[in-house]
Amino acid sequence: MDPVIRIHPADDVVIARQQLVPGTRIDSLGLTVQGLVPPGHKLAVRDVSAGQPVRRYNQVIGNATRAIAAGQHVHVHNLAFGDFERALEVGVDARPTPAAVPQATFEGIVRGDGRVATRNYIGILSSVNCSATVARAIADHFKGHPRLPAEAQPLAAYPNVDGVVALTHGLGCATDSEGEALKLLRRTLGGYARHANFAAILVIGLGCETNQVAGLMAQEGLQPSTKLHVFNIQDSGGTAQSVAHGVALVESLLPEANRVRRQPVPASHLTVGLQCGGSDGYSGISANPALGAAVDRLVAHGGSAILSETPEIYGGEHLLARRAVSAEVAAKLIERVRWWERYTARNDMSLDNNPSAGNKAGGLTTILEKSLGAIAKSGTTALVDVLEYAQPATARGLLYMDTPGYDPVSATGQVAGGANMIVFTTGRGSAYGCAPAPSLKLSTNTALWNRQRDDIDLNCGGIVDGEASVDEVGETIFRRMLATASGRKTQSERHGYGQHEFVPWSLGAVM
Protein backbone atom coordinates (compact mmCIF):
# COMPACT_ATOMS: atom_id res chain seq x y z
CA MET A 1 0.00 0.00 0.00
CA ASP A 2 1.21 3.49 -0.85
CA PRO A 3 2.51 5.16 2.36
CA VAL A 4 0.87 8.47 1.37
CA ILE A 5 -2.57 9.63 0.27
CA ARG A 6 -2.89 12.06 -2.62
CA ILE A 7 -6.23 13.86 -2.58
CA HIS A 8 -6.03 15.88 -5.83
CA PRO A 9 -3.46 15.86 -8.65
CA ALA A 10 -2.98 19.63 -8.34
CA ASP A 11 -2.12 19.48 -4.63
CA ASP A 12 1.32 20.52 -3.41
CA VAL A 13 1.16 18.03 -0.53
CA VAL A 14 0.19 14.45 0.22
CA ILE A 15 -0.81 12.97 3.59
CA ALA A 16 1.26 10.35 5.41
CA ARG A 17 -0.60 7.11 6.14
CA GLN A 18 2.01 6.21 8.73
CA GLN A 19 5.11 7.80 10.18
CA LEU A 20 7.65 8.45 7.45
CA VAL A 21 11.34 8.42 8.35
CA PRO A 22 14.14 10.21 6.48
CA GLY A 23 15.29 8.35 3.40
CA THR A 24 11.95 6.61 2.76
CA ARG A 25 11.38 6.32 -0.98
CA ILE A 26 7.87 7.21 -2.20
CA ASP A 27 7.80 5.41 -5.53
CA SER A 28 4.40 6.75 -6.56
CA LEU A 29 5.80 10.29 -6.38
CA GLY A 30 9.39 9.61 -7.37
CA LEU A 31 10.79 11.38 -4.30
CA THR A 32 12.61 10.66 -1.05
CA VAL A 33 11.42 11.80 2.37
CA GLN A 34 13.62 14.47 3.96
CA GLY A 35 13.02 14.51 7.71
CA LEU A 36 10.48 12.86 9.99
CA VAL A 37 6.80 13.13 8.96
CA PRO A 38 4.26 11.98 11.58
CA PRO A 39 1.10 10.10 10.53
CA GLY A 40 -1.62 12.41 9.24
CA HIS A 41 0.87 15.15 8.42
CA LYS A 42 1.75 16.72 5.07
CA LEU A 43 4.65 15.92 2.77
CA ALA A 44 5.60 18.29 -0.05
CA VAL A 45 5.42 16.72 -3.53
CA ARG A 46 7.15 19.63 -5.28
CA ASP A 47 9.35 22.61 -4.46
CA VAL A 48 7.46 25.66 -3.19
CA SER A 49 9.08 29.09 -2.98
CA ALA A 50 8.74 31.29 0.10
CA GLY A 51 5.53 33.30 -0.03
CA GLN A 52 3.82 31.01 -2.52
CA PRO A 53 0.43 29.40 -1.77
CA VAL A 54 0.24 25.72 -0.83
CA ARG A 55 -2.72 23.66 -2.02
CA ARG A 56 -4.57 20.70 -0.51
CA TYR A 57 -8.01 19.52 -1.77
CA ASN A 58 -7.03 21.67 -4.79
CA GLN A 59 -7.62 24.69 -2.51
CA VAL A 60 -5.22 27.13 -0.85
CA ILE A 61 -4.46 26.18 2.76
CA GLY A 62 -1.78 28.82 3.44
CA ASN A 63 1.48 30.32 2.24
CA ALA A 64 4.99 28.98 2.58
CA THR A 65 6.90 31.03 5.16
CA ARG A 66 10.18 29.79 3.67
CA ALA A 67 11.28 27.68 0.75
CA ILE A 68 9.97 24.10 0.93
CA ALA A 69 11.69 21.30 -1.00
CA ALA A 70 9.96 18.23 -2.37
CA GLY A 71 10.02 15.48 0.26
CA GLN A 72 9.97 17.84 3.25
CA HIS A 73 7.48 17.93 6.10
CA VAL A 74 4.96 20.78 5.67
CA HIS A 75 3.57 22.15 8.92
CA VAL A 76 3.64 25.15 11.27
CA HIS A 77 7.38 25.64 10.83
CA ASN A 78 7.07 26.48 7.13
CA LEU A 79 3.37 27.15 6.41
CA ALA A 80 1.13 29.92 7.74
CA PHE A 81 -2.35 31.35 7.28
CA GLY A 82 -2.66 33.87 4.47
CA ASP A 83 -5.87 35.38 3.19
CA PHE A 84 -6.65 35.04 -0.49
CA GLU A 85 -9.28 36.03 -3.03
CA ARG A 86 -12.29 33.75 -3.04
CA ALA A 87 -14.62 34.12 -6.00
CA LEU A 88 -18.31 33.96 -5.10
CA GLU A 89 -20.03 31.94 -7.80
CA VAL A 90 -23.41 31.59 -6.15
CA GLY A 91 -25.39 28.47 -6.90
CA VAL A 92 -23.21 27.03 -9.66
CA ASP A 93 -23.02 23.69 -7.82
CA ALA A 94 -26.59 23.73 -6.40
CA ARG A 95 -28.17 20.63 -7.83
CA PRO A 96 -31.43 19.04 -6.68
CA THR A 97 -31.03 15.75 -4.84
CA PRO A 98 -33.14 13.01 -6.46
CA ALA A 99 -35.58 11.45 -4.02
CA ALA A 100 -34.63 7.97 -2.87
CA VAL A 101 -37.12 5.19 -3.53
CA PRO A 102 -38.21 3.41 -1.43
CA GLN A 103 -37.92 5.87 1.45
CA ALA A 104 -35.98 4.68 4.47
CA THR A 105 -37.69 4.50 7.86
CA PHE A 106 -36.77 4.33 11.53
CA GLU A 107 -38.63 3.43 14.70
CA GLY A 108 -39.59 6.83 16.08
CA ILE A 109 -41.80 8.22 18.83
CA VAL A 110 -44.70 10.22 17.43
CA ARG A 111 -45.87 13.01 19.73
CA GLY A 112 -49.49 14.13 19.93
CA ASP A 113 -48.83 17.13 17.69
CA GLY A 114 -47.14 15.01 15.00
CA ARG A 115 -43.53 15.76 15.88
CA VAL A 116 -41.21 12.75 15.92
CA ALA A 117 -38.70 12.01 18.66
CA THR A 118 -35.66 9.76 18.70
CA ARG A 119 -35.49 9.69 22.53
CA ASN A 120 -37.97 10.10 25.40
CA TYR A 121 -36.67 12.21 28.30
CA ILE A 122 -38.11 14.39 31.00
CA GLY A 123 -36.06 17.59 31.12
CA ILE A 124 -35.33 20.17 33.79
CA LEU A 125 -34.14 23.57 32.57
CA SER A 126 -32.68 26.30 34.78
CA SER A 127 -33.41 29.93 33.89
CA VAL A 128 -30.24 31.05 35.66
CA ASN A 129 -27.14 29.55 37.25
CA CYS A 130 -28.69 30.24 40.68
CA SER A 131 -31.33 27.54 40.10
CA ALA A 132 -28.87 24.96 38.76
CA THR A 133 -28.35 23.14 42.09
CA VAL A 134 -32.07 22.60 42.57
CA ALA A 135 -32.48 21.40 38.98
CA ARG A 136 -29.64 18.92 39.35
CA ALA A 137 -30.89 17.66 42.72
CA ILE A 138 -34.27 16.85 41.17
CA ALA A 139 -32.66 14.96 38.28
CA ASP A 140 -30.24 13.17 40.64
CA HIS A 141 -33.22 11.75 42.56
CA PHE A 142 -34.01 9.68 39.46
CA LYS A 143 -30.44 8.77 38.58
CA GLY A 144 -29.53 5.10 38.38
CA HIS A 145 -27.15 3.51 40.85
CA PRO A 146 -24.69 0.82 39.63
CA ARG A 147 -24.86 -1.15 42.89
CA LEU A 148 -28.64 -1.56 42.78
CA PRO A 149 -30.24 -4.44 40.87
CA ALA A 150 -32.17 -3.51 37.75
CA GLU A 151 -35.57 -3.87 39.42
CA ALA A 152 -34.57 -1.42 42.16
CA GLN A 153 -33.40 1.37 39.88
CA PRO A 154 -35.40 4.63 40.25
CA LEU A 155 -36.89 4.40 36.73
CA ALA A 156 -37.31 0.62 36.63
CA ALA A 157 -41.09 0.94 36.37
CA TYR A 158 -40.74 3.26 33.35
CA PRO A 159 -38.74 1.35 30.72
CA ASN A 160 -39.84 3.66 27.90
CA VAL A 161 -38.37 6.76 29.59
CA ASP A 162 -34.72 7.35 28.68
CA GLY A 163 -34.02 9.42 31.76
CA VAL A 164 -34.60 12.60 33.73
CA VAL A 165 -31.94 15.17 32.84
CA ALA A 166 -31.08 18.59 34.23
CA LEU A 167 -29.69 21.04 31.66
CA THR A 168 -28.09 23.87 33.58
CA HIS A 169 -25.76 26.72 32.64
CA GLY A 170 -23.78 29.67 34.03
CA LEU A 171 -25.86 32.45 32.49
CA GLY A 172 -29.16 34.24 33.11
CA CYS A 173 -28.21 37.32 35.15
CA ALA A 174 -25.79 40.29 35.23
CA THR A 175 -26.58 41.02 31.60
CA ASP A 176 -28.51 43.60 29.58
CA SER A 177 -32.21 42.93 30.17
CA GLU A 178 -32.98 44.04 26.61
CA GLY A 179 -29.80 42.83 24.93
CA GLU A 180 -28.92 40.18 22.39
CA ALA A 181 -27.22 37.93 24.97
CA LEU A 182 -30.44 37.44 26.91
CA LYS A 183 -32.53 36.97 23.77
CA LEU A 184 -30.07 34.33 22.59
CA LEU A 185 -30.21 32.45 25.90
CA ARG A 186 -33.99 32.52 25.86
CA ARG A 187 -34.09 31.31 22.27
CA THR A 188 -31.85 28.41 23.25
CA LEU A 189 -33.91 27.46 26.29
CA GLY A 190 -37.13 27.83 24.28
CA GLY A 191 -35.79 25.45 21.65
CA TYR A 192 -35.06 22.84 24.29
CA ALA A 193 -38.45 23.36 25.96
CA ARG A 194 -40.13 22.58 22.62
CA HIS A 195 -37.81 19.73 21.64
CA ALA A 196 -39.59 16.56 20.54
CA ASN A 197 -37.20 14.37 22.55
CA PHE A 198 -38.70 15.70 25.79
CA ALA A 199 -41.97 14.15 26.92
CA ALA A 200 -42.26 16.92 29.51
CA ILE A 201 -40.26 19.86 30.86
CA LEU A 202 -39.75 21.68 34.15
CA VAL A 203 -38.37 25.24 33.99
CA ILE A 204 -36.95 26.43 37.32
CA GLY A 205 -35.93 29.97 38.20
CA LEU A 206 -34.60 31.61 41.34
CA GLY A 207 -37.04 34.51 41.18
CA CYS A 208 -34.96 37.69 41.05
CA GLU A 209 -32.77 36.98 38.01
CA THR A 210 -32.60 39.04 34.82
CA ASN A 211 -33.85 36.05 32.86
CA GLN A 212 -37.27 36.04 34.43
CA VAL A 213 -39.18 32.85 33.66
CA ALA A 214 -42.17 34.94 32.61
CA GLY A 215 -39.97 36.84 30.13
CA LEU A 216 -38.58 33.58 28.75
CA MET A 217 -42.08 32.20 28.27
CA ALA A 218 -43.31 35.39 26.62
CA GLN A 219 -40.40 35.70 24.16
CA GLU A 220 -40.66 32.05 23.14
CA GLY A 221 -44.45 31.86 23.01
CA LEU A 222 -44.58 29.12 25.67
CA GLN A 223 -47.52 28.40 27.95
CA PRO A 224 -47.63 26.32 31.14
CA SER A 225 -49.39 23.01 30.54
CA THR A 226 -49.54 19.44 31.73
CA LYS A 227 -46.20 18.92 29.94
CA LEU A 228 -44.53 22.25 30.78
CA HIS A 229 -44.28 23.26 34.46
CA VAL A 230 -42.57 26.40 35.77
CA PHE A 231 -41.75 27.63 39.27
CA ASN A 232 -39.29 29.82 41.20
CA ILE A 233 -37.26 28.80 44.23
CA GLN A 234 -38.04 32.04 46.08
CA ASP A 235 -41.78 31.43 45.68
CA SER A 236 -41.57 27.75 46.67
CA GLY A 237 -40.08 28.00 50.13
CA GLY A 238 -36.40 27.64 49.29
CA THR A 239 -34.10 24.84 48.18
CA ALA A 240 -35.45 21.80 50.03
CA GLN A 241 -39.08 22.53 49.28
CA SER A 242 -38.29 23.33 45.64
CA VAL A 243 -36.48 20.01 45.22
CA ALA A 244 -39.37 18.15 46.84
CA HIS A 245 -41.87 19.98 44.61
CA GLY A 246 -39.81 19.19 41.49
CA VAL A 247 -39.46 15.51 42.42
CA ALA A 248 -43.21 15.24 42.95
CA LEU A 249 -43.87 16.88 39.57
CA VAL A 250 -41.54 14.48 37.77
CA GLU A 251 -43.13 11.50 39.53
CA SER A 252 -46.53 12.67 38.31
CA LEU A 253 -45.22 13.00 34.74
CA LEU A 254 -43.48 9.62 34.45
CA PRO A 255 -46.55 7.38 33.92
CA GLU A 256 -47.73 9.40 30.90
CA ALA A 257 -44.20 9.67 29.50
CA ASN A 258 -43.85 5.89 29.73
CA ARG A 259 -46.92 5.26 27.57
CA VAL A 260 -45.07 6.04 24.33
CA ARG A 261 -44.40 3.33 21.78
CA ARG A 262 -42.01 3.38 18.86
CA GLN A 263 -43.43 2.98 15.36
CA PRO A 264 -42.07 3.10 11.79
CA VAL A 265 -41.74 6.67 10.51
CA PRO A 266 -40.06 8.10 7.37
CA ALA A 267 -36.41 9.15 7.59
CA SER A 268 -37.62 12.64 6.66
CA HIS A 269 -38.29 13.13 10.39
CA LEU A 270 -34.56 12.90 11.14
CA THR A 271 -32.60 16.16 11.63
CA VAL A 272 -28.90 15.58 12.25
CA GLY A 273 -26.46 18.12 13.67
CA LEU A 274 -22.99 17.70 12.13
CA GLN A 275 -19.98 18.14 14.42
CA CYS A 276 -16.25 17.53 14.31
CA GLY A 277 -13.95 17.87 17.30
CA GLY A 278 -10.38 16.89 17.95
CA SER A 279 -9.87 16.91 14.19
CA ASP A 280 -6.67 15.64 12.60
CA GLY A 281 -5.04 15.37 9.20
CA TYR A 282 -7.26 12.41 8.33
CA SER A 283 -10.59 14.13 9.13
CA GLY A 284 -11.00 15.55 5.64
CA ILE A 285 -10.03 12.21 4.06
CA SER A 286 -12.07 9.65 5.98
CA ALA A 287 -14.77 10.41 8.58
CA ASN A 288 -15.85 13.84 7.29
CA PRO A 289 -16.39 12.92 3.64
CA ALA A 290 -17.96 9.62 4.72
CA LEU A 291 -20.38 11.56 6.93
CA GLY A 292 -20.98 13.79 3.90
CA ALA A 293 -21.94 10.71 1.89
CA ALA A 294 -24.38 9.76 4.66
CA VAL A 295 -25.82 13.30 4.58
CA ASP A 296 -26.42 13.01 0.84
CA ARG A 297 -28.37 9.82 1.52
CA LEU A 298 -30.32 11.42 4.37
CA VAL A 299 -31.35 14.38 2.20
CA ALA A 300 -32.36 12.00 -0.61
CA HIS A 301 -34.69 10.34 1.90
CA GLY A 302 -36.22 13.69 2.86
CA GLY A 303 -34.24 14.33 6.04
CA SER A 304 -32.19 17.32 7.15
CA ALA A 305 -28.63 17.99 8.27
CA ILE A 306 -27.27 21.09 10.01
CA LEU A 307 -23.69 22.16 9.31
CA SER A 308 -22.31 24.71 11.80
CA GLU A 309 -19.14 26.09 13.42
CA THR A 310 -18.59 29.26 11.39
CA PRO A 311 -14.95 29.74 12.52
CA GLU A 312 -14.32 26.25 11.11
CA ILE A 313 -15.69 26.88 7.63
CA TYR A 314 -13.69 30.11 7.31
CA GLY A 315 -11.80 30.20 4.03
CA GLY A 316 -14.18 27.67 2.49
CA GLU A 317 -17.39 29.69 2.61
CA HIS A 318 -17.14 30.30 -1.14
CA LEU A 319 -17.50 26.55 -1.69
CA LEU A 320 -20.76 26.51 0.29
CA ALA A 321 -21.99 29.59 -1.59
CA ARG A 322 -21.54 27.62 -4.81
CA ARG A 323 -24.14 25.19 -3.44
CA ALA A 324 -26.63 27.82 -2.21
CA VAL A 325 -30.10 27.57 -3.73
CA SER A 326 -30.40 31.36 -3.99
CA ALA A 327 -28.44 34.60 -3.76
CA GLU A 328 -30.33 35.34 -0.52
CA VAL A 329 -29.10 32.14 1.13
CA ALA A 330 -25.52 32.81 0.02
CA ALA A 331 -25.71 36.40 1.29
CA LYS A 332 -26.87 35.23 4.73
CA LEU A 333 -23.93 32.84 4.91
CA ILE A 334 -21.36 35.47 3.90
CA GLU A 335 -22.81 37.98 6.37
CA ARG A 336 -22.31 35.50 9.21
CA VAL A 337 -18.68 35.05 8.15
CA ARG A 338 -18.19 38.84 8.07
CA TRP A 339 -19.75 39.08 11.55
CA TRP A 340 -17.13 36.66 12.83
CA GLU A 341 -14.34 38.69 11.26
CA ARG A 342 -15.61 41.78 13.12
CA TYR A 343 -16.24 39.83 16.34
CA THR A 344 -12.74 38.35 16.52
CA ALA A 345 -11.12 41.67 15.54
CA ARG A 346 -12.80 43.62 18.36
CA ASN A 347 -11.73 40.92 20.81
CA ASP A 348 -8.09 41.11 19.62
CA MET A 349 -8.28 37.61 18.13
CA SER A 350 -7.81 36.05 14.72
CA LEU A 351 -9.83 33.33 13.08
CA ASP A 352 -6.53 31.53 12.62
CA ASN A 353 -6.32 31.15 16.43
CA ASN A 354 -8.20 27.95 15.48
CA PRO A 355 -6.81 25.12 14.94
CA SER A 356 -6.18 23.96 18.48
CA ALA A 357 -3.00 22.40 19.82
CA GLY A 358 -4.47 18.93 19.34
CA ASN A 359 -5.48 19.71 15.75
CA LYS A 360 -1.90 20.75 15.00
CA ALA A 361 -0.44 17.67 16.66
CA GLY A 362 -2.72 15.65 14.39
CA GLY A 363 -1.41 17.32 11.23
CA LEU A 364 -3.62 20.38 10.66
CA THR A 365 -1.72 23.63 10.21
CA THR A 366 -4.08 26.53 9.39
CA ILE A 367 -7.76 27.32 9.74
CA LEU A 368 -8.03 27.17 5.93
CA GLU A 369 -6.93 23.54 5.94
CA LYS A 370 -9.18 22.66 8.89
CA SER A 371 -12.19 24.36 7.30
CA LEU A 372 -11.88 22.53 4.01
CA GLY A 373 -11.94 19.20 5.83
CA ALA A 374 -14.82 20.30 8.07
CA ILE A 375 -17.02 21.31 5.14
CA ALA A 376 -16.72 17.76 3.78
CA LYS A 377 -19.22 16.70 6.48
CA SER A 378 -21.97 18.42 4.48
CA GLY A 379 -21.67 16.17 1.42
CA THR A 380 -22.58 17.54 -1.99
CA THR A 381 -26.25 18.45 -1.66
CA ALA A 382 -27.60 22.00 -2.13
CA LEU A 383 -27.57 24.49 0.77
CA VAL A 384 -31.22 25.46 1.32
CA ASP A 385 -31.12 27.87 4.30
CA VAL A 386 -28.87 29.70 6.76
CA LEU A 387 -29.96 30.07 10.40
CA GLU A 388 -28.73 32.13 13.30
CA TYR A 389 -27.84 30.37 16.54
CA ALA A 390 -30.66 28.22 17.99
CA GLN A 391 -33.18 29.32 15.36
CA PRO A 392 -35.74 26.62 14.46
CA ALA A 393 -34.73 24.42 11.52
CA THR A 394 -37.90 24.26 9.44
CA ALA A 395 -36.61 23.72 5.89
CA ARG A 396 -35.73 20.22 4.71
CA GLY A 397 -32.32 19.43 3.27
CA LEU A 398 -28.87 20.81 4.11
CA LEU A 399 -29.02 23.80 6.46
CA TYR A 400 -26.29 26.01 7.90
CA MET A 401 -26.49 27.35 11.48
CA ASP A 402 -24.11 30.06 12.66
CA THR A 403 -22.37 28.85 15.82
CA PRO A 404 -18.93 29.04 17.45
CA GLY A 405 -16.50 26.25 16.70
CA TYR A 406 -16.50 25.04 20.31
CA ASP A 407 -18.36 21.74 20.09
CA PRO A 408 -20.61 21.88 23.19
CA VAL A 409 -21.78 25.42 22.33
CA SER A 410 -22.28 24.55 18.68
CA ALA A 411 -24.22 21.34 19.29
CA THR A 412 -26.36 23.07 21.94
CA GLY A 413 -27.49 25.52 19.26
CA GLN A 414 -28.23 22.72 16.80
CA VAL A 415 -30.35 20.80 19.29
CA ALA A 416 -32.18 24.00 20.25
CA GLY A 417 -32.92 24.38 16.54
CA GLY A 418 -34.48 20.91 16.42
CA ALA A 419 -31.68 18.43 15.74
CA ASN A 420 -32.81 15.08 17.13
CA MET A 421 -29.39 13.49 16.61
CA ILE A 422 -25.75 14.63 16.56
CA VAL A 423 -23.08 12.89 14.49
CA PHE A 424 -19.60 13.83 15.67
CA THR A 425 -16.32 13.00 13.90
CA THR A 426 -13.03 12.98 15.78
CA GLY A 427 -9.41 12.24 15.00
CA ARG A 428 -7.83 12.84 18.38
CA GLY A 429 -10.62 11.39 20.54
CA SER A 430 -13.84 12.66 22.08
CA ALA A 431 -16.00 11.83 25.06
CA TYR A 432 -18.95 14.02 24.12
CA GLY A 433 -22.68 13.49 24.64
CA CYS A 434 -25.70 15.71 24.03
CA ALA A 435 -28.92 14.95 25.90
CA PRO A 436 -31.67 14.84 24.82
CA ALA A 437 -30.25 14.06 21.35
CA PRO A 438 -28.12 10.91 20.95
CA SER A 439 -24.57 11.62 19.76
CA LEU A 440 -22.88 9.18 17.37
CA LYS A 441 -19.10 9.46 17.31
CA LEU A 442 -16.94 8.47 14.34
CA SER A 443 -13.17 7.99 14.44
CA THR A 444 -11.09 9.19 11.50
CA ASN A 445 -8.34 6.59 12.00
CA THR A 446 -8.00 3.03 13.22
CA ALA A 447 -5.36 3.87 15.83
CA LEU A 448 -7.89 6.06 17.66
CA TRP A 449 -10.55 3.35 17.34
CA ASN A 450 -8.22 0.80 18.91
CA ARG A 451 -7.26 3.21 21.69
CA GLN A 452 -10.66 4.68 22.61
CA ARG A 453 -13.34 2.39 21.23
CA ASP A 454 -15.36 2.61 24.47
CA ASP A 455 -16.16 6.18 23.42
CA ILE A 456 -16.42 5.73 19.63
CA ASP A 457 -19.39 4.24 17.79
CA LEU A 458 -17.95 3.62 14.35
CA ASN A 459 -14.46 3.51 12.82
CA CYS A 460 -13.89 5.29 9.50
CA GLY A 461 -10.18 4.48 9.52
CA GLY A 462 -10.66 1.75 6.93
CA ILE A 463 -10.71 4.52 4.31
CA VAL A 464 -7.20 5.60 5.33
CA ASP A 465 -6.11 1.97 5.53
CA GLY A 466 -7.29 1.32 1.99
CA GLU A 467 -9.86 -1.24 3.13
CA ALA A 468 -13.08 0.68 2.40
CA SER A 469 -14.34 3.50 0.21
CA VAL A 470 -15.89 6.77 1.35
CA ASP A 471 -19.20 5.72 -0.20
CA GLU A 472 -19.21 2.33 1.55
CA VAL A 473 -18.55 3.91 4.94
CA GLY A 474 -21.16 6.59 4.18
CA GLU A 475 -23.77 3.88 3.70
CA THR A 476 -22.75 2.30 7.02
CA ILE A 477 -23.05 5.66 8.80
CA PHE A 478 -26.51 6.27 7.31
CA ARG A 479 -27.72 2.86 8.49
CA ARG A 480 -26.27 3.52 11.95
CA MET A 481 -28.12 6.86 12.04
CA LEU A 482 -31.40 5.04 11.43
CA ALA A 483 -30.59 2.41 14.08
CA THR A 484 -29.66 5.10 16.60
CA ALA A 485 -32.84 7.06 15.84
CA SER A 486 -34.71 3.80 16.49
CA GLY A 487 -33.33 3.56 20.02
CA ARG A 488 -29.92 1.91 19.72
CA LYS A 489 -27.80 3.43 22.50
CA THR A 490 -24.63 5.31 21.61
CA GLN A 491 -21.42 4.96 23.58
CA SER A 492 -21.86 8.42 25.11
CA GLU A 493 -25.34 7.43 26.30
CA ARG A 494 -23.96 4.27 27.91
CA HIS A 495 -21.47 6.45 29.82
CA GLY A 496 -24.14 8.94 30.88
CA TYR A 497 -22.81 11.95 28.96
CA GLY A 498 -25.13 14.76 27.97
CA GLN A 499 -26.26 16.87 30.92
CA HIS A 500 -23.06 18.82 31.54
CA GLU A 501 -22.43 19.37 27.82
CA PHE A 502 -25.38 21.78 27.57
CA VAL A 503 -23.53 25.08 26.94
CA PRO A 504 -25.53 27.99 25.50
CA TRP A 505 -23.51 30.60 23.60
CA SER A 506 -22.52 33.47 25.89
CA LEU A 507 -22.40 36.90 24.26
CA GLY A 508 -21.65 40.36 25.62
CA ALA A 509 -20.43 41.76 28.91
CA VAL A 510 -21.06 40.22 32.32
CA MET A 511 -21.98 43.07 34.67
Side-chain angles (χ1 to χ4, degrees):
M1 183 173 60
D2 199 323
V4 298
I5 300 170
R6 187 160 200 168
I7 300 169
H8 192 279
D11 287 352
D12 299 302
V13 295
V14 292
I15 310 304
R17 274 196 166 98
Q18 67 253 354
Q19 182 164 282
L20 303 175
V21 299
T24 301
R25 182 68 181 172
I26 310 295
D27 293 330
S28 61
L29 302 173
L31 58 79
T32 300
V33 176
Q34 302 181 39
L36 190 70
V37 182
H41 284 238
K42 296 176 290 296
L43 177 75
V45 299
R46 59 178 66 93
D47 296 343
V48 180
S49 301
Q52 292 299 303
V54 174
R55 301 178 79 86
R56 177 182 175 179
Y57 308 106
N58 195 29
Q59 299 289 327
V60 174
I61 61 170
N63 295 86
T65 56
R66 60 189 182 191
I68 302 173
Q72 287 186 336
H73 182 206
V74 178
H75 200 32
V76 293
H77 61 287
N78 55 13
L79 179 68
F81 171 82
D83 207 358
F84 63 101
E85 288 295 323
R86 303 187 277 282
L88 281 180
E89 299 175 286
V90 175
V92 297
D93 293 333
R95 302 181 182 90
T97 301
V101 179
Q103 190 175 58
T105 63
F106 67 93
E107 296 291 314
I109 299 165
V110 181
R111 301 297 185 192
D113 58 5
R115 295 175 305 146
V116 174
T118 61
R119 292 294 185 269
N120 189 42
Y121 284 97
I122 291 176
I124 306 166
L125 301 176
S126 61
S127 69
V128 64
N129 179 256
C130 307
S131 58
T133 295
V134 166
R136 288 174 180 160
I138 296 167
D140 285 347
H141 179 84
F142 299 94
K143 188 176 181 180
H145 302 282
R147 294 182 181 178
L148 291 177
E151 63 274 11
Q153 295 294 338
L155 295 179
Y158 308 103
N160 297 323
V161 177
D162 289 299
V164 178
V165 294
L167 301 179
T168 63
H169 54 90
L171 307 175
C173 208
T175 189
D176 182 357
S177 61
E178 303 296 329
E180 182 61 24
L182 184 59
K183 292 176 182 176
L184 190 64
L185 174 61
R186 287 175 169 173
R187 190 163 74 217
T188 305
L189 292 170
Y192 273 74
R194 289 186 294 269
H195 201 283
N197 283 7
F198 284 124
I201 285 283
L202 274 58
V203 180
I204 304 174
L206 175 61
C208 59
E209 64 271 21
T210 302
N211 185 26
Q212 290 286 296
V213 172
L216 162 64
M217 301 286 280
Q219 176 185 303
E220 293 303 306
L222 299 170
Q223 295 290 334
S225 68
T226 57
K227 298 182 184 298
L228 178 57
H229 297 263
V230 301
F231 64 91
N232 288 323
I233 296 168
Q234 292 169 350
D235 298 332
S236 301
T239 299
Q241 292 187 56
S242 294
V243 171
H245 179 54
V247 168
L249 280 173
V250 173
E251 288 176 337
S252 72
L253 294 167
L254 282 167
E256 178 63 25
N258 191 58
R259 290 192 181 98
V260 301
R261 294 293 183 271
R262 290 185 177 271
Q263 62 188 70
V265 296
S268 57
H269 290 289
L270 193 54
T271 299
V272 176
L274 311 176
Q275 290 289 321
C276 54
S279 301
D280 68 354
Y282 297 127
S283 294
I285 297 172
S286 60
N288 288 3
L291 177 53
V295 166
D296 287 346
R297 287 167 166 80
L298 177 63
V299 171
H301 286 275
S304 297
I306 307 174
L307 180 68
S308 297
E309 302 176 294
T310 309
E312 297 182 8
I313 64 141
Y314 187 69
E317 66 274 7
H318 61 296
L319 301 178
L320 288 171
R322 292 174 64 94
R323 293 160 55 189
V325 296
S326 68
E328 178 186 8
V329 169
K332 286 198 291 185
L333 175 68
I334 299 305
E335 169 50 32
R336 298 321 301 164
V337 173
R338 298 293 171 258
W339 184 92
W340 275 94
E341 291 175 332
R342 298 190 296 269
Y343 180 61
T344 52
R346 68 175 178 260
N347 285 284
D348 297 321
M349 297 174 67
S350 163
L351 282 163
D352 197 46
N353 288 144
N354 190 336
S356 69
N359 296 153
K360 291 177 180 178
L364 296 174
T365 307
T366 69
I367 186 55
L368 301 177
E369 180 182 17
K370 184 176 181 180
S371 293
L372 292 165
I375 289 171
K377 299 193 302 292
S378 65
T380 62
T381 189
L383 177 65
V384 301
D385 200 6
V386 173
L387 310 170
E388 294 195 24
Y389 187 86
Q391 281 189 329
T394 56
R396 309 309 297 168
L398 175 66
L399 314 172
Y400 187 84
M401 178 181 285
D402 179 33
T403 76
Y406 185 37
D407 309 311
V409 180
S410 180
T412 295
Q414 291 175 332
V415 175
N420 49 16
M421 182 183 299
I422 299 293
V423 181
F424 189 120
T425 71
T426 182
R428 304 290 291 172
S430 170
Y432 179 76
C434 194
S439 176
L440 266 176
K441 289 193 289 298
L442 317 178
S443 65
T444 72
N445 62 88
T446 302
L448 170 61
W449 169 253
N450 290 334
R451 186 172 64 249
Q452 200 177 332
R453 67 173 62 196
D454 281 351
D455 294 310
I456 307 295
D457 296 281
L458 197 149
N459 178 31
C460 301
I463 298 169
V464 175
D465 301 335
E467 298 171 353
S469 69
V470 166
D471 193 63
E472 288 170 341
V473 178
E475 174 67 17
T476 301
I477 295 170
F478 178 61
R479 295 300 162 188
R480 183 64 66 87
M481 287 179 182
L482 297 176
T484 301
S486 299
R488 175 172 175 162
K489 297 294 185 185
T490 65
Q491 294 292 70
S492 63
E493 289 177 295
R494 293 188 178 97
H495 290 306
Y497 284 103
Q499 295 190 73
H500 301 292
E501 290 79 9
F502 174 74
V503 188
W505 189 3
S506 177
L507 285 175
V510 177
M511 294 182 287

